Amino acid sequence: MQEWIDNIKKCDSLEDLESLRIEILGKKGVLTAQFAKMKTIPNEEKKLFAANLNQQKTAITAALEDQKTLLLAKELEKELESEKIDVTKFEPSKNNGAYHPVASTLHQITSYFQNLNFSVEDGPLVEDDFHNFEALNLPAYHPARDMQDTFYCNDKMVLRTHTSPVQIRTMMKHKPPIRMVAPGAVFRKDFDITHTPMFHQIEGLVVENGDVVSFANLKFVMEEFLHHMFGDVNIRFRPSFFPFTEPSAEVDISCIFCKDEKTNKNKGCRVCSHTGWLEVLGCGIVDQNVFEAVGYENVSGYAFGLGIERFAMLIHKIGDLRSLFESDIRLLGQFR
Ligand code: PHE
C-alpha cells in the first residue's frame, strides 16, 4: 500500500492522478479486485480482512484527495500568474491626440521668450482703428495702410491685421520696462498657396527707461532665437520699412532646403525662389511716435513680429500653407 501512496504523492498532474485512482479504486482496480476476494475468504477471517481493506481504501482515498487539492492549488497559482496585470505599468496609447503643428510651433516660440523673462500678452481680434493703425504711426490715409489688406467691420473697427496692436494695449496698461510677446490670430484679405485670410503671428516688444536699447540688442536676441529654432543657419538683416519701427529690418535665414552639407553653400531651390535665403521675420527699433501715442517719455525699445505658420512650415517641411487649415487627419497624424 505504501507504494501506492508514494506514487500518488509523486503524481504531478490531475490526469495522471485520475488514472492512478482508476488503477487502484476503479471497477477493475487492484484494490477493488481485493474486495472481490472476500467471497473466497473463510468466515472467521472475513472481519479482519475487510477491516484491513477498508483501512487501505480510506488511506488511499485520503492521499488522492490531498494530492488533488495540492495540484488544484498549483494550477490556480499558475493561472493567476499568467493573468497578472501590473496596474502601474505605463503603455502609451497609439491613438493619442497631438498638438497641431501651428499650436506646437506657437508654444515653442512663446516658451523660448518666456524663458528670457518675456510676459505673454493678449488682445482682441476685432480692433479699433487707433490700436491697429493710428497709434502704430499709421495715420488715416497713410499709404502704408495698403501694405495690409484689411477686413473692415465698419468704418471704425477692423479684424486686426497684425499682433502689433497688443504692443499698444500693453504699453497703455503698464509702465516701462516691458518685455512681452503676444501670440495670436490675425486677418488679411489674401488667399493662395502662401497666404490664408487667417493666420497667426507672434509679436515681441522690449522697452527700457532711458536711451539704452540698441539695434545690437535686437540683433543679438533675434540671432540667438533663430539659431535656437533652425540650428546652424546663416542670418542676414536687410533694411526694410515698417511705420512703427525706425530703423527697420527684415531678417532672412539661409535656406534650410538647399544647403550643400560639404561646401555649406546654398544651391538655390523652389522654396527660396533660387535666392538661397528665406525671409522669416520683421523687426526694428520702436519709432518715437509710437511711444508718444501711448504717453511714454524718455524710453527706448525694439519690436519684432513673425508668422507662426511660416515657421511651422519650415520646421516641419510642409509645402502648402492651406493644408494647415484643412483638418485632414492624415496630415495631423504625422505630428504625434
Ligand atoms: N507687424 C508687422 C507685420 O505684420 C511685423 C512687425 C512687428 C515688424 C514688429 C516690426 C516690428 O508685418
Side-chain angles (χ1 to χ4, degrees):
M1 178 182 77
Q2 194 51 48
E3 201 186 320
W4 290 338
I5 293 193
D6 287 346
N7 281 346
I8 290 171
K9 284 191 177 152
K10 268 188 256 160
C11 208
D12 60 2
S13 84
L14 286 164
E15 293 89 69
D16 289 354
L17 191 65
E18 177 61 8
S19 323
L20 211 51
R21 188 189 67 78
I22 292 168
E23 211 175 290
I24 305 168
L25 298 175
K27 266 191 206 153
K28 292 178 184 161
V30 271
L31 199 63
T32 317
Q34 296 283 323
F35 277 100
K37 275 192 198 158
M38 283 280 270
K39 284 179 267 174
T40 63
I41 303 280
N43 272 347
E44 61 278 12
E45 285 173 31
K46 255 189 187 141
K47 201 174 164 191
L48 196 69
F49 185 79
N52 182 20
L53 278 187
N54 277 327
Q55 200 196 342
Q56 286 194 40
K57 189 176 173 182
T58 314
I60 286 168
T61 310
L64 283 166
E65 273 312 306
D66 286 354
Q67 191 62 16
K68 191 172 173 182
T69 314
L70 196 89
L71 288 176
L72 281 174
K74 268 194 191 155
E75 208 155 88
L76 181 68
E77 206 172 292
K78 230 201 241 164
E79 197 175 313
L80 288 178
E81 186 60 38
S82 73
E83 291 175 0
K84 200 157 128 185
I85 294 173
D86 180 357
V87 292
T88 63
K89 193 170 168 187
F90 176 70
E91 288 254 15
S93 157
K94 292 180 185 69
N95 294 320
N96 272 351
Y99 280 110
H100 189 281
V102 172
S104 66
T105 305
L106 190 149
H107 177 74
Q108 197 185 345
I109 299 174
T110 306
S111 56
Y112 177 85
F113 286 103
Q114 277 179 301
N115 286 339
L116 295 180
N117 227 0
F118 282 58
S119 67
V120 181
E121 306 293 340
D122 202 7
L125 303 185
V126 179
E127 264 298 3
D128 53 44
D129 189 90
F130 174 77
H131 291 93
N132 197 78
F133 294 126
E134 193 83 37
L136 287 163
N137 198 29
L138 266 153
Y141 309 113
H142 192 289
R145 284 199 182 197
D146 291 347
M147 281 167 80
Q148 303 175 346
D149 297 303
T150 312
F151 284 113
Y152 284 87
C153 304
N154 53 40
D155 52 1
K156 287 202 185 67
M157 305 300 285
V158 300
L159 294 183
R160 70 177 184 194
T161 55
H162 48 181
T163 40
S164 303
V166 187
Q167 290 186 21
I168 303 299
R169 291 186 176 272
T170 308
M171 285 192 282
M172 292 179 87
K173 241 184 351 213
H174 301 289
K175 289 202 173 85
I178 284 179
R179 280 194 189 99
M180 58 145 262
V181 286
V186 300
F187 305 85
R188 290 182 198 178
K189 274 195 284 183
D190 238 341
F191 193 53
D192 59 39
I193 347 178
T194 51
H195 297 90
T196 46
M198 189 277 303
F199 60 103
H200 297 80
Q201 284 189 332
I202 188 162
E203 187 84 9
L205 174 72
V206 169
V207 184
E208 298 286 348
N209 285 304
D211 188 16
V212 294
V213 175
S214 70
F215 201 93
N217 299 146
L218 168 64
K219 186 164 181 272
F220 175 76
V221 173
M222 291 301 102
E223 283 175 347
E224 287 295 302
F225 164 62
L226 291 173
H227 281 137
H228 170 78
M229 297 301 290
F230 297 106
D232 183 23
V233 288
N234 297 322
I235 296 171
R236 75 174 183 190
F237 282 65
R238 262 184 302 107
S240 184
F241 171 79
F242 298 103
F244 28 89
T245 48
E246 181 60 35
S248 307
E250 279 174 307
V251 183
D252 300 338
I253 59 170
S254 52
C255 181
I256 53 179
F257 295 95
C258 60
K259 188 170 117 178
D260 185 331
E261 291 301 332
K262 278 198 213 113
T263 60
N264 221 4
K265 291 225 166 72
N266 282 87
K267 296 178 284 233
C269 66
R270 254 180 53 200
V271 185
C272 60
S273 307
H274 303 281
T275 60
W277 294 98
L278 298 165
E279 184 194 323
V280 288
L281 60 85
C283 62
I285 294 296
V286 180
D287 195 298
Q288 286 298 324
N289 287 346
V290 174
F291 290 139
E292 210 168 285
V294 297
Y296 275 12
E297 272 171 24
N298 191 24
V299 294
S300 55
Y302 64 74
F304 56 90
L306 60 91
I308 308 277
E309 280 79 0
R310 174 114 174 112
F311 271 58
M313 287 172 74
L314 294 177
I315 291 168
H316 298 293
K317 308 216 157 44
I318 300 168
D320 185 343
L321 172 64
R322 289 172 296 193
S323 67
L324 287 175
F325 300 111
E326 280 167 356
S327 302
D328 186 332
I329 209 80
R330 288 168 302 182
L331 177 95
L332 301 178
Q334 296 172 37
F335 299 104
R336 285 211 182 99

